[in-house]
Amino acid sequence: MTQHFIVIGNPIAHSKSPQIHQVFAAQIGIDIGYQRQYCPDDTASFTAVVEAFFHGGGIGANVTVPFKQMAYDCSLTRGGLSEHAKVAGAVNTLLLNKDLLEAGLPIAEALYGDNTDGQGLINHITRLGWPLNGARVAIIGAGGAARGVILPLIQAGIGQLTLANRTMSKATDLVSELSNASPTINQHPINTCTTADLTGHFDLIVNATSIGLSGDTLPLADELACHSAYDMMYGRALPFLQHFAARGAQTSDGYGMLIGQAALSFERWTGQVIDVAQAAATLKNQSA
Ligand code: NDP
């Protein structure tokens, strides 16, 4: 029997999620339908789309820009949130809470939210063979993507974390908010600075800004160096990676993170573990 999934976004035509999830389904031999679902950018429309999908027998939904916060609010007051979704303040994966359904609650009251973005990054970095245990890490950016990776990085055992952002107050506000929300983060001091003031040598620097969309370049100090540089963006030439590659660092864009977070969503929905390296190789062959 075909199992149905969607990704909800606005815009959504560009999403690679259907292709990625079909590769996962083929790997484990199940039949799925996975559709892109455009939605007007308002809470009422989002809620209506989600409820209609699950009432129609849908198994799971991915949520992307600009709906991750709405999905969080929706799950918070209904079927609950995973710890990663709570700390991230955002949901990228929706499913039905089976315990609540079995207890007799209606589908609309059983929507459960998870966030797999951060763990998708960790899984990709692990596949790259970049050590995280004890690593000195800097994240540039203090938006939703940075927020979602801080807890998974700390849980992966990194040594030191510095959060740099163009707007300094957003970095300090984020650290204080997350420290209040998570005892794990609270026990791990996080340094903050402006992007231009970020200096020193790091094992890993992660670009979690959306600057790649604008064509601008980050103001990186000459005294800033790293062993590995990771840009969460993908699908275009990235000046951030070019900057550090020219200084001898190993680099990666965020396509592997996209596949990693998708694999974790798929596992939440189906209970089946995906061989992500094999799926990534299949996707690479498909696009060659
Ligand atoms: P947000 O809009 O929440 O945050 C944007 C961040 O980028 C802020 O820190 C902002 O700084 C900074 N920024 C934006 N423009 C500039 C600029 N011109 N100069 C310096 N800093 C700038 O975005 P998200 O956190 O949701 O997304 C960030 C990136 O991560 C996006 O490119 C997104 O595509 C990518 N991403 C990739 C994923 C993957 O699976 N590969 C998953 C999730 C996100 P300020 O606070 O000063 O405005």
Side-chain angles (χ1 to χ4, degrees):
M1 201 177 71
T2 306
Q3 299 183 47
H4 290 284
F5 305 91
I6 51 172
V7 54
I8 309 167
N10 180 351
I12 197 60
H14 66 288
S15 173
K16 296 189 191 310
S17 292
Q19 183 193 1
I20 292 171
H21 284 271
Q22 287 297 351
V23 167
F24 297 160
Q27 188 183 99
I28 61 162
I30 64 169
D31 182 27
I32 69 162
Y34 190 112
Q35 308 299 328
R36 297 179 187 90
Q37 177 65 58
Y38 172 84
C39 181
D41 184 7
D42 64 83
T43 306
S45 299
F46 176 74
T47 307
V49 163
V50 170
E51 289 187 5
F53 171 71
F54 283 106
H55 275 119
I59 304 289
N62 278 134
V63 179
T64 187
V65 177
F67 298 116
K68 290 185 185 183
Q69 177 76 51
M70 280 182 210
Y72 172 93
D73 292 340
C74 191
S75 308
L76 176 68
T77 53
R78 298 168 182 225
L81 292 160
S82 69
E83 189 196 5
H84 282 123
K86 271 184 209 158
V87 173
V91 160
N92 78 335
T93 304
L94 284 170
L95 55 155
L96 292 174
N97 183 328
K98 293 205 171 90
D99 292 340
L100 294 181
L101 289 179
E102 279 165 17
L105 265 74
I107 283 174
E109 296 304 318
L111 296 170
Y112 181 81
D114 197 354
N115 191 316
T116 62
D117 282 337
Q119 198 56 45
L121 171 71
I122 303 300
N123 290 5
H124 186 212
I125 288 177
T126 305
R127 287 202 306 285
L128 289 166
W130 298 0
L132 284 171
N133 198 25
R136 292 158 299 168
V137 178
I139 300 172
I140 305 177
R147 172 190 283 264
V149 299
I150 288 174
L151 179 62
L153 279 169
I154 290 173
Q155 288 175 329
I158 62 167
Q160 292 170 24
L161 181 58
T162 300
L163 186 68
N165 195 41
R166 173 177 62 179
T167 312
M168 174 77 181
S169 59
K170 285 197 193 163
T172 48
D173 287 353
L174 181 58
V175 169
S176 100
E177 195 186 320
L178 294 187
S179 300
N180 287 332
S182 161
T184 306
I185 296 176
N186 193 34
Q187 284 161 19
H188 198 289
I190 302 172
N191 307 313
T192 52
C193 63
T194 65
T195 305
D197 287 336
L198 182 64
T199 57
H201 188 280
F202 293 88
D203 297 303
L204 170 66
I205 303 180
V206 177
N207 182 13
T209 74
S210 52
I211 195 167
L213 295 169
S214 68
D216 292 343
T217 51
L218 289 167
L220 302 173
D222 289 340
E223 301 77 23
L224 178 63
C226 65
H227 192 258
S228 309
Y230 192 100
D231 198 321
M232 286 195 189
M233 278 217 58
Y234 54 87
R236 62 179 74 200
L238 297 164
F240 172 82
L241 296 184
Q242 289 162 349
H243 173 91
F244 287 109
R247 288 160 177 76
Q250 54 188 355
T251 63
S252 175
D253 73 9
Y255 187 53
M257 174 179 174
L258 180 75
I259 300 173
Q261 60 80 25
L264 290 165
S265 295
F266 194 85
E267 288 173 24
R268 300 281 189 281
W269 296 328
T270 64
Q272 302 275 350
V273 176
I274 295 300
D275 181 336
V276 180
Q278 189 190 82
T282 305
L283 287 159
K284 197 172 170 190
N285 287 339
Q286 285 181 357
S287 62

